[in-house]
Amino acid sequence: FPSHDRRLVFYHADDSMVMDVPTRKIMLYGKKSNTRYLDNELSAPGIQFDQKQNLVTAWHVKDSNGLVIASPTFKQEDLLTISDTITFNMKTGKGLTKGTYTQQGEMYIYGERIKKIDSSAFYAFKARFTTCNLDTPHFAFVSKKIKFINNKFAVTGPVHPEFDVS
C-alpha cells in the first residue's frame, strides 16, 4: 500500500493478516512475516504497521515454556540486528530496539536499547562489545553509552572489561 511519499511498502504474513481500517493499522502474524520498504527489510513473528504514524513495530514470540522461538531481524544496507522488539519510523528512518545483537566488522555488540538515528549511525545504551562470537562471550567491554558509526568507529565514555570465568 502506498505511503505518504508514494513509495510502496511490501509485506507478507505466513499465518494471518488483520487490517483495522478505522485506526489504519495492519498486523502480520507468522514465524517469517516480513515488510520491505526502500532498503529496509524487517522479518518477525509479529509485525504491526501504523499507517497514520508511519511506524512499524515488531516483536519476538515465546513458546509455552517461555523460551524465545523467533525474534525480529532488521536489515538496512550493512546493518543487521536481531532484537526482542523493534520500532521503526519509515518516513524518518529512525528506530528504537530493545535487547539487540548486531555485528560491526569483527565486533559483536549487544545493547539493552539501541537508537538508530540514520542509516550510518546508532547509539547503544548499556552495551557490551566483544570479538568473541559466543552467545555468552568469554570477555566483553561494557559501557553505559556508545555511539557507533557503521563499520568505521565507536565513541564511548568510561568502559570496563567483563570476564566470564565459568
Side-chain angles (χ1 to χ4, degrees):
F1 40 86
S3 63
H4 293 346
D5 64 350
R6 304 270 183 229
R7 295 191 179 145
L8 296 178
V9 175
F10 297 93
Y11 58 89
H12 166 78
D14 272 0
D15 182 38
S16 59
M17 179 184 87
V18 176
M19 184 178 288
D20 187 347
V21 176
T23 62
R24 296 185 63 199
K25 291 181 181 177
I26 297 172
M27 282 73 70
L28 307 174
Y29 299 99
K31 194 170 183 179
K32 294 193 181 212
S33 297
N34 59 57
T35 62
R36 195 174 79 241
Y37 177 73
L38 300 176
D39 64 343
N40 304 308
E41 295 180 35
L42 175 67
S43 297
I47 300 173
Q48 176 180 288
F49 175 51
D50 184 334
Q51 287 181 294
K52 286 182 182 178
Q53 297 180 16
N54 284 316
L55 281 179
V56 174
T57 304
W59 55 90
H60 66 251
V61 170
K62 295 180 179 182
D63 65 10
S64 60
N65 294 321
L67 300 173
V68 174
I69 56 173
S71 295
T73 60
F74 177 79
K75 184 173 194 277
Q76 182 183 42
E77 295 179 12
D78 294 339
L79 179 66
L80 174 66
T81 64
I82 301 169
S83 306
D84 291 340
T85 61
I86 297 173
T87 302
F88 179 77
N89 186 308
M90 293 191 315
K91 191 172 184 179
T92 66
K94 296 179 181 181
L96 182 65
T97 66
K98 293 181 182 175
T100 300
Y101 291 92
T102 188
Q103 183 178 356
Q104 295 285 301
E106 294 184 26
M107 186 71 58
Y108 297 92
I109 302 157
Y110 169 80
E112 193 173 289
R113 287 190 314 240
I114 291 183
K115 182 178 181 180
K116 185 175 163 305
I117 56 173
D118 61 34
S119 63
S120 66
F122 63 92
Y123 292 97
F125 176 71
K126 291 190 176 178
R128 75 178 23 94
F129 53 99
T130 182
T131 55
C132 182
N133 64 355
L134 300 175
D135 288 341
T136 304
H138 294 108
F139 67 94
F141 294 97
V142 180
S143 181
K144 188 173 180 181
K145 297 178 186 176
I146 306 173
K147 179 179 180 179
F148 290 93
I149 305 298
N150 286 353
N151 295 315
K152 293 183 182 170
F153 63 89
V155 179
T156 182
V159 173
H160 69 270
E162 189 174 82
F163 299 96
D164 181 19
V165 291
S166 56

